[in-house]
Amino acid sequence: MQPLPLKQIHPLWLRCCHWINAVTVAGMICSGWRIYNASPLFSFNYPAALTLGGWLGGALLWHFALMWILLINATIYLTLGICSGRFRSKFFPLSWTSLKKSLTQALYGKLHHTNMQEYNMVQKVAYILIILDGAALLLSGLVLWKPVQFSLLTILFGGYDTARYIHFLCMNIMVLFIIIHLVMVLLVPRALLSMIRGH
C-alpha cells in the first residue's frame, strides 16, 4: 500500500524567510541592547553577556548591517505573502468571538493545534500584530538613525526622544512574542519540524 503524500504546510520561500528572520532579529535585539546600555532610558542595563558588538560602535555596525538583511528579507516575505494569497488565506477572516474563545482556551491550557495547516484565532491575531510591531520598529528605527533626513517621520513619532521609547516598547513586544513562540514550539514540537521540512 502506497503511503499518503505529505501535504506541504510551509513553502520553501516562507521557511527561508523565517530562519533568516530568526537569526537577524536575534542579532538586532542583542546589538540593540548594547546600544541601549550606552544611553539607558531606564535605571537598568542589559547583561553584557547578552549583548552583541562589544562596544557602542561595534553594536551600531552590527545593528545597521543586520537592518539591511532584515529589510530585504521582510520585503520578500511580505511581497510573496500578499501576492501568493497566503496572508489572506492564513490570517483572515478574523472573528472577535473566536478570539475570545481561543484566548479562554489558551489561559486554561486547552488550546489545541491539531491541524498544522490552519492557524487558530490567537495565532492569526498574534502574527498580524507582530508584523505591525515590526513595521513600527523599522519606522521608529529610521527616526533614531536619521532624524533630520526623516524629519516627517520624526514629527509623526512625536520627536526623537518619543521615538526612542516607542522603539524600546516595540522591541520588548518582539522579545515577548519570541518567548511565547518558543514556548509554543516546545509544547507542539511538530511546529518546528514543519518549519524545517515544510510538511
Side-chain angles (χ1 to χ4, degrees), residues 76-94:
I76 293 170
Y77 170 75
L78 292 173
T79 301
L80 291 177
I82 293 169
C83 294
S84 69
R86 182 178 176 86
F87 285 178
R88 185 177 63 253
S89 64
K90 293 291 185 182
F91 299 158
F92 298 96
L94 298 174

Side-chain angles (χ1 to χ4, degrees), residues 17-87:
C17 286
H18 174 273
W19 292 113
I20 292 171
N21 265 352
V23 174
T24 308
V25 168
M28 290 203 74
I29 289 171
C30 293
S31 59
W33 285 347
R34 173 65 71 171
I35 296 167
Y36 168 91
N37 285 351
S39 180
L41 289 170
F42 304 100
S43 58
F44 71 89
N45 280 0
Y46 291 98
L50 298 179
T51 65
L52 177 66
W55 62 300
L56 176 60
L60 286 168
L61 289 174
W62 273 105
H63 210 66
F64 292 140
L66 292 170
M67 173 192 73
W68 290 111
I69 298 172
L70 185 63
L71 180 61
I72 293 168
N73 192 57
T75 301
I76 293 170
Y77 170 75
L78 292 173
T79 301
L80 291 177
I82 293 169
C83 294
S84 69
R86 182 178 176 86
F87 285 178

Side-chain angles (χ1 to χ4, degrees), residues 3 12 14-15 20 23 27 33 37-38 50 77 84 86 96 105-106 116 122-124 131 144 150 156 158 186 196:
L12 180 61
L14 181 75
R15 285 177 278 142
I20 292 171
V23 174
W33 285 347
N37 285 351
L50 298 179
Y77 170 75
S84 69
R86 182 178 176 86
W96 175 245
Q105 291 174 334
M116 301 298 292
V122 171
Q123 287 176 300
K124 289 181 180 183
I131 289 172
L144 302 183
F150 293 101
L156 291 174
L186 290 174
I196 294 173

Side-chain angles (χ1 to χ4, degrees), residues 127-146:
Y127 288 134
I128 291 171
L129 289 178
I130 205 62
I131 289 172
L132 295 176
D133 181 71
L137 266 170
L138 170 66
L139 294 175
S140 58
L142 290 176
V143 171
L144 302 183
W145 180 37
K146 300 282 186 180

Side-chain angles (χ1 to χ4, degrees), residues 136 139-140 142-143 147 150-164 166:
L139 294 175
S140 58
L142 290 176
V143 171
F150 293 101
S151 56
L152 178 59
L153 264 182
T154 304
I155 294 169
L156 291 174
F157 272 95
Y160 182 88
D161 290 331
T162 306
R164 281 196 72 197
I166 293 172

